[in-house]
Amino acid sequence: MEALTELRQGALQEIINISFGRASASLAELLKVYVALNVPNVQEIPQSQIIESLEQRIGIDTDITVVQQSFTGDFEGEVLLAIPANAGLRAIKMLGQGRGFAPALPATDLEMEAFLEIGNIVIGACMGQFAELLNTSLSYEVPDILLTKSSITNLRRDESNKDVKALALLIKTDFQMGDEALSGFLFILFGQRWFDMLYLALDKFIEEMT
Amino acid sequence: MKKKILLVDDSMMSRLMIKKCLPSSDQYSYELQEADGGTKCLDFYRKAPYDLVLLDLTMPDMDGFETLEKLREMDPDARVVIVTADIQQKAAERVFALGALEVVKKPTSQEKMTAVLEKYL
């Protein structure tokens, strides 16, 4: 199996930086706020520790809502956009600003709609740019909303790889939206069986761009 | 005499990508130095000013906004071009208010970086 070299890790970080930059611009336009970005983190972790790793990064005491979307193509994986659950009403408020927004649904349904809309914008823009930079195309499954952190345990596992030592590639970036400092996390997960294809695409990117 | 350019970005990959887009140093007669963060950028600049600083915004130790602000406090004539993945209008408004000359979005191109050097060097 190919390894995550320093160069590949750097390339992946930069690709996510650029991709999430595009996504944040779309989100900023939608919410009429500034989205502050942070440096992405790329890490190989054992697949058996995915849930624990996500929980550690989000914060054990934070109740979150996750928009989760699987993608397929030359390589497959999952994207998770995690936003604090109590951010739903603030997200609705931001989405409604200046649009003559007239709520016709109960708050909880509206919150779900707001989360899905934000997820749709962020994941679509980010992964679209990610695929473009790696000169590939990805297809997406219908997004799911996971209402509590415990729902993360329902994440689709890479069933093709039963090896307990199998790895996953976890990419994380976090961001803050607007003056109310509404924060969120974006995770991208690749199972080990896709590493070779992903690293091949990264090597082509490195060769072309440097 | 050769002009001096300082390229400031925490990502080695990003610096490689930007360097590939810069025109030949012989053609434009410049020397390029690199800094992997805002703190180092300020240290380098304090020792000897640069003719042009290419500055990233999203950096861990000191972000580009703070670096730009401090740089312009140190030298109100500092010439800074922002090279960033943060393409939000509000980011551009903020850096222009702090005195940046231009915002270049990543990934950049040879045409764009040649135009930047042509214009500001």
Side-chain angles (χ1 to χ4, degrees):
Chain A
M1 186 192 72
E2 294 281 340
L4 180 64
T5 60
E6 194 180 344
L7 207 53
R8 286 173 179 154
Q9 189 170 15
L12 207 40
Q13 271 175 322
E14 189 55 21
I15 287 168
I16 295 301
N17 184 36
I18 293 170
S19 302
F20 197 72
R22 295 290 185 279
S24 63
S26 303
L27 191 58
E29 196 177 325
L30 179 77
L31 300 180
K32 309 291 180 208
V33 294
Y34 178 66
V35 181
L37 311 178
N38 294 304
V39 178
N41 176 268
V42 179
Q43 201 179 5
E44 270 183 2
I45 56 168
Q47 284 202 24
S48 57
Q49 289 176 17
I50 288 175
I51 308 301
E52 293 77 2
S53 296
L54 289 173
E55 286 183 346
Q56 273 174 14
R57 282 159 178 79
I58 291 166
I60 199 78
D61 298 326
T62 311
D63 201 8
I64 56 155
T65 297
V66 176
V67 180
Q68 176 243 334
Q69 195 161 19
S70 303
F71 58 87
T72 58
D74 287 338
F75 31 81
E76 299 183 4
E78 311 218 26
V79 191
L80 295 100
L81 180 71
I83 303 173
N86 63 11
L89 290 173
R90 282 183 286 164
I92 293 169
K93 192 175 143 201
M94 285 196 260
L95 277 168
Q97 272 172 5
R99 292 184 179 80
F101 194 67
L105 293 167
T108 46
D109 289 348
L110 274 173
E111 285 178 56
M112 294 306 103
E113 290 296 322
F115 282 131
L116 268 178
E117 182 64 11
I118 290 173
N120 189 35
I121 296 282
V122 172
I123 294 172
C126 183
M127 295 311 290
Q129 182 67 40
F130 180 87
E132 190 181 320
L133 286 168
L134 287 179
N135 200 24
T136 186
S137 63
L138 300 172
S139 303
Y140 306 94
E141 291 179 14
V142 177
D144 278 336
I145 282 207
L146 314 176
L147 293 178
T148 63
K149 192 163 51 185
S150 56
S151 305
I152 288 177
T153 51
N154 295 331
L155 274 177
R156 194 187 65 180
R157 302 301 187 99
D158 192 349
E159 294 298 335
S160 61
N161 200 335
K162 301 287 186 189
D163 182 356
V164 292
K165 291 180 185 168
L167 297 171
L169 194 63
L170 180 65
I171 304 167
K172 175 210 148 197
T173 190
D174 58 281
F175 54 96
Q176 292 81 41
M177 294 180 277
D179 297 335
E180 294 181 76
L182 185 64
S183 59
F185 301 87
L186 184 86
F187 298 97
I188 307 174
L189 271 165
F190 295 95
Q192 185 168 341
R193 64 186 292 226
W194 301 107
F195 283 10
D196 286 353
M197 291 303 290
L198 177 64
Y199 293 162
L200 186 66
L202 281 173
D203 290 347
K204 282 183 188 166
F205 172 85
I206 292 164
E207 192 183 336
E208 192 182 316
M209 301 300 270
T210 62
Chain B
M1 199 170 121
K2 285 193 172 180
K3 301 281 179 113
K4 288 171 60 189
I5 300 175
L6 182 59
L7 171 57
V8 188
D9 199 311
D10 61 299
S11 161
M12 180 191 66
M13 180 57 55
S14 180
R15 296 199 303 272
L16 285 171
M17 288 164 67
I18 294 167
K19 280 195 291 183
K20 194 190 177 187
C21 293
L22 288 170
S24 138
S25 57
D26 294 334
Q27 188 188 349
Y28 281 81
S29 188
Y30 68 86
E31 277 174 25
L32 183 75
Q33 192 165 1
E34 297 176 44
D36 61 7
T39 307
K40 208 174 268 183
C41 162
L42 296 175
D43 286 347
F44 286 174
Y45 201 96
R46 199 172 287 115
K47 286 174 192 157
Y50 290 79
D51 297 291
L52 182 64
V53 177
L54 304 173
L55 177 65
D56 182 28
L57 288 182
T58 310
M59 297 188 290
D61 74 328
M62 182 191 295
D63 70 25
F65 298 108
E66 190 181 348
T67 307
L68 174 61
E69 192 172 11
K70 290 186 170 166
L71 201 55
R72 298 273 299 173
E73 278 171 11
M74 191 192 301
D75 176 7
D77 296 323
R79 296 164 70 78
V80 182
V81 169
I82 304 296
V83 186
T84 181
D86 187 349
I87 55 168
Q88 297 172 73
Q89 185 60 33
K90 288 194 176 179
E93 287 167 7
R94 197 170 156 199
V95 296
F96 285 135
L98 290 169
L101 296 168
E102 189 166 336
V103 176
V104 174
K105 73 175 184 182
K106 292 179 181 176
T108 186
S109 64
Q110 290 180 348
E111 292 75 21
K112 185 69 208 175
M113 293 315 294
T114 302
V116 163
L117 263 56
E118 189 85 49
K119 195 169 175 184
Y120 301 115
L121 206 55

